[in-house]
Structures are given as structure tokens and as C-alpha cells.
Amino acid sequence: MKKYNTKMKLKAIATAIIILIGYSSSAQVEIKTESKEFQLGDGLGFNVNDGDYKFRISGFIQGAYKYEKTDGAVASTYMNARNAYLSISGSMYKEKVSFLLQNNFSNGKPLLDAWLAYSPTSKMKISFGQKQTFTNNREMTYYEDKLQFVDRGIFSSEFSNTGREFGVFLETQLGNKSFIVKPKLAITSGDGVNSFGANSIDVDKGGLKYGGRIDFLPLGNFKPGNDGYIADLLHEDKIKILAGAAFSYNNGASNKVGEGHGDFVFYDSNFKQKLPDYRKSYGDILIKYKGFSFLGEYVSSSALSLEGTFINSTATVPLFMTEISNYLALGNGYNIQGGYVSKSGLSLDFKYEKLTKEFNKASSLLSNQDAFTMGITKYLKGNDLKIQASVSTRNNEQFNATLNANEKIKTATVQLSFQVVF
């Protein structure tokens, strides 16, 4: 049956391709490239039917070196292709439809983004599919090639995974040029990327995830293109502020940050599966002025619906309130980062992060920790061609059974990255 279904799918795809080719031939569709000269970061663009349809092939490659040394452990060294992205995007002017298909071939599961969007007005967009969600912290809303440092810090990585969800997303914009408000809403599966698993028995767990974000630009928008980065690459002539808050409520989470499923399962008194609800709240502010940038972020996470929960399927071992921190990342934290980009493209940046777990338990997934990072970046052609280096120290509080007390374990990390966007 599986082989038969596969053959039928292949036949259907082949038939669709033949029909499209035949239609293109009969309609005499004229395809033109957007530019005769290729520029880094522009991708390869095509215009069809005098610009009514636009398609673009683009991507980026990041090569990385990493040295890491933890107290009491042997130092480790990594050299790899951190990211190898290939993206296909397009827009249909008359139909008001756009799409993005984005893969990272350095991952075992390369598909990251696959969504289709409809824009009934110029200030509203409704998307369906898998995409980067806006319900996380500010840094997690930027793609991996737009980061201020070589990699995301502990603030983002401890409370998020890829930051991508599958569902429906609504984005709107209100106000005028001097004061802009951007409300956004999302209803997703709450299980992260590829949320329905690899096969028919690896199904989605729990209910839906509900979230939203509201952003304020009290002094107007950034320069065109400068809103896609944390660093002030285009040197804002006047001070610009982007302040926002985000919230998400995952109804039935079975992954430590609510971006996966099946990592753990609980039961109720009737021996049926029962999962905890997972809530995250964020607040952030981004300021840019004449090459200087500052980003401040705060997060708080908690678990709900724990009453009547049992760890085993026979409902004989209850889950105590504080034990939920063994399964979910619970606590709060903040991130402060900033820097300056010179007009020659040289940037000096800093970052300080601090996380605090909700319960003082040695077995908690989230630990008390802080990290400080210094970075230097050379933008050779804006963000499209750059070299980055960073040095960081991380203090992670762990329980020492010999001393019967907590101690801070220090980890030093040096990273170097080279990026090309095409």
C-alpha cells in the first residue's frame, strides 16, 4: 500500500509539472531577472508577467570554529558549517499572496520555514504554515544570519529551541509615521518544528499554543532594512525605540521549552495522559542611534494545571509541585546587550545574561547561571559578508555531592565565524 501511494504521489507531481510547462508554453510567459548584475544578499530574482509574480532563490553559509573549556573537563574544539541555508520565496501581486520555503542543510531535519501568507491590506498579513514565531524574546525573532554575535546566548537557548512553530499567524500595523503599534497573534501546535512527527504514530501531543506580541515604535520606524538587525548598521540619524511584550500559553506541553513533543508524559487518576500547561512572558526594548544599539530583554516562565498529576501510568506516584522543574524550564532571567558599529563596518559588542530557576532544586532543568560575552565583527559588505569573533565566560551553578553544597562551574568559550549571504 505504501509503495502504491508513493507511486501515485510521484505521478501526481509529474502530471502537475507537465501541466505547468504546457501552460507556460501556450501562454508565452516572459521571465526576466530582476538585475543583470549579481550582488551579495540579493539572491537570484525573477519577474514574471511584468512583475505580477516575483520569485527569489537565496541563502547563506556560516563556517564556524569553537573552543570550549569547562572547569574540571578536557577542552573541546569544533570546526563545522554551523548553518547552510537555501531559501525559495515569492510573491503574487494581484493575488496578494507570498510564500517562503527555507532549509538548513547543516541540520539532520533541514526544513525550518514553510509558509504561505495572504495580505488583504498593506498593513495586515495572515500566514499559515511553519515559521519563526514572534511570541519569543526579541533576539529569537531574528533569523540566524542577522545576529549581533556569533551565536545566540543562554537567555535565548535556555527558553527556546529554534523559535519556529506550525500554525496560523496574524500580523497587523496601526498608527502613523510618528507613532506605530504592531499587534500580532498566533495559534500554533505548541510542538515546534515538524510538530506532527516523522510517521503516523509519532503524533502531536497536548493541545494548542496561544500567543501574541505587541510592539511600539514611539519615535517612528527604523530606516528601511535596519529593522532586521539588532545592531545599528545603517546609523539612525534620530534615536529610534522599539519596545514590546510577548506572551504564550501552551495547553499541554511535553517538551522542556514547549517546542517538541513526547519527551515526557504524565497521567491522571483515570490512567489517561495528562500534560502540564506551560506559560512564558517576555518584555524587551531595542534602541538605536548613530551606530549605537542597546537591547534589554526579560523572561518569566511557569507551569500550570498540575493538580491530580501522576508520574506513572498506574497513577500511584503523584507529581509534587516542585518536581515539574525537572521537566520544564521554569524561572526568570534577563539579557542586556549593546554595541557600536563604525561607518567603516567595525563593530564592538557586549552581552550580559543572568538566569534564575524557580525552585531551589539540584535536579531542575534550568540552573542559576550568568554569562558575559565580548564580540567583534567586521562587516565587509553589510551583513551579507562578515567575520565575527567572540569570547565568553559562563558560570553555571551545580550541586556538588562531595561538598554537599552548590558551586559555580566556569566555562570559557572562544568562537569565530565567517558568513556569506547570497
Side-chain angles (χ1 to χ4, degrees):
M1 180 62 70
K2 289 184 178 179
K3 290 183 178 180
Y4 176 75
N5 289 336
T6 301
K7 290 181 179 179
M8 291 297 293
K9 290 179 181 178
L10 291 174
K11 287 182 179 180
I13 294 172
T15 302
I17 293 173
I18 292 171
I19 292 173
L20 286 173
I21 293 174
Y23 173 78
S24 299
S25 300
S26 62
Q28 297 181 349
V29 175
E30 186 178 3
I31 302 176
K32 297 180 180 179
T33 57
E34 291 184 351
S35 175
K36 293 182 180 180
E37 295 184 1
F38 174 78
Q39 298 288 335
L40 287 178
D42 290 343
L44 185 61
F46 301 92
N47 287 330
V48 183
N49 292 2
D50 295 326
D52 286 344
Y53 301 93
K54 294 184 178 181
F55 303 94
R56 182 169 176 256
I57 301 173
S58 59
F60 69 92
I61 299 172
Q62 287 179 338
Y65 166 84
K66 182 178 181 180
Y67 169 85
E68 192 170 78
K69 177 67 172 68
T70 302
D71 290 345
V74 178
S76 57
T77 303
Y78 306 91
M79 292 185 68
N80 60 4
R82 184 194 302 277
N83 292 301
Y85 276 53
L86 180 64
S87 306
I88 302 174
S89 60
S91 61
M92 288 146 267
Y93 177 76
K94 292 182 179 180
E95 292 81 2
K96 301 180 180 179
V97 173
S98 58
F99 70 89
L100 173 67
L101 179 65
Q102 186 162 247
N103 294 274
N104 183 3
F105 292 103
S106 65
N107 288 342
K109 295 180 179 180
L111 181 63
L112 291 181
D113 302 279
W115 53 261
L116 186 70
Y118 172 66
S119 301
T121 70
S122 61
K123 296 183 179 181
M124 178 181 291
K125 182 169 73 172
I126 304 170
S127 306
F128 175 77
Q130 184 169 290
K131 67 176 299 183
Q132 192 101 353
T133 183
F134 38 73
T135 60
N136 289 322
N137 60 301
R138 177 74 60 195
E139 187 186 49
M140 285 300 299
T141 65
Y142 295 106
Y143 285 138
E144 285 72 12
D145 63 319
K146 304 289 197 300
L147 300 180
Q148 189 172 16
F149 293 87
V150 176
D151 201 2
R152 305 189 196 276
I154 60 173
F155 182 89
S156 294
S157 60
E158 290 289 330
F159 288 95
S160 303
N161 188 9
T162 66
R164 289 169 168 86
E165 301 275 357
F166 180 87
V168 180
F169 307 82
L170 171 64
E171 302 171 67
T172 61
Q173 180 174 314
L174 307 171
N176 50 41
K177 292 183 179 179
S178 59
F179 189 92
I180 300 171
V181 181
K182 296 182 178 181
K184 306 173 184 180
L185 295 172
I187 301 176
T188 65
S189 67
D191 284 15
V193 297
N194 306 313
S195 63
F196 298 101
N199 52 57
S200 60
I201 61 174
D202 185 15
V203 297
D204 183 282
K205 301 287 186 181
L208 298 175
K209 179 179 179 179
Y210 307 90
R213 168 176 278 275
I214 184 166
D215 289 329
F216 299 91
L217 292 104
L219 302 177
N221 222 333
F222 296 105
K223 288 183 178 180
N226 206 30
D227 58 347
Y229 315 94
I230 298 174
D232 186 14
L233 296 184
L234 300 184
H235 282 235
E236 297 290 341
D237 300 320
K238 298 180 179 180
I239 188 168
K240 297 295 181 180
I241 299 174
L242 173 58
F247 174 83
S248 66
Y249 188 94
N250 197 332
N251 184 14
S254 57
N255 171 265
K256 66 178 183 178
V257 294
E259 289 188 32
H261 65 265
D263 295 344
F264 59 85
V265 62
F266 301 140
Y267 301 87
D268 61 16
S269 58
N270 296 319
F271 318 121
K272 294 182 180 179
Q273 289 190 8
K274 183 180 187 297
L275 297 174
D277 296 341
Y278 186 49
R279 179 175 59 188
K280 288 192 289 187
S281 302
Y282 291 98
D284 45 64
I285 184 169
L286 175 62
I287 303 173
K288 296 185 181 184
Y289 181 60
K290 292 187 176 180
F292 290 95
S293 65
F294 171 84
L295 173 65
E297 301 176 303
Y298 175 81
V299 62
S300 177
S301 65
S302 57
L304 301 92
S305 302
L306 303 176
E307 299 80 6
T309 301
F310 296 86
I311 296 177
N312 60 338
S313 58
T314 57
T316 57
V317 182
L319 175 74
F320 293 102
M321 186 69 68
T322 59
E323 286 183 319
I324 191 60
S325 64
N326 300 349
Y327 303 91
L328 295 174
L330 302 179
N332 58 75
Y334 63 86
N335 169 47
I336 298 173
Q337 67 184 71
Y340 173 74
V341 183
S342 69
K343 291 186 177 180
S344 64
L346 184 64
S347 176
L348 296 175
D349 309 287
F350 73 90
K351 177 197 288 273
Y352 178 75
E353 306 160 278
K354 184 176 178 63
L355 308 180
T356 304
K357 58 186 178 182
E358 182 174 1
F359 302 112
N360 189 24
K361 289 171 55 64
S363 56
S364 295
L365 283 180
L366 185 69
S367 61
N368 295 331
Q369 54 187 301
D370 62 84
F372 181 77
T373 303
M374 289 291 295
I376 181 170
T377 301
K378 176 59 178 177
Y379 296 93
L380 300 172
K381 188 182 183 301
N383 188 72
D384 300 328
L385 183 61
K386 67 181 181 181
I387 301 174
Q388 289 184 296
S390 67
V391 178
S392 63
T393 58
R394 177 179 181 179
N395 297 304
N396 196 346
E397 187 178 276
Q398 296 181 7
F399 181 75
N400 188 318
T402 304
L403 300 176
N404 195 29
N406 292 327
E407 64 173 345
K408 286 192 173 182
I409 305 298
K410 183 178 179 180
T411 299
T413 305
V414 178
Q415 295 192 83
L416 176 66
S417 176
F418 180 81
Q419 173 176 294
V420 178
V421 180
F422 58 88

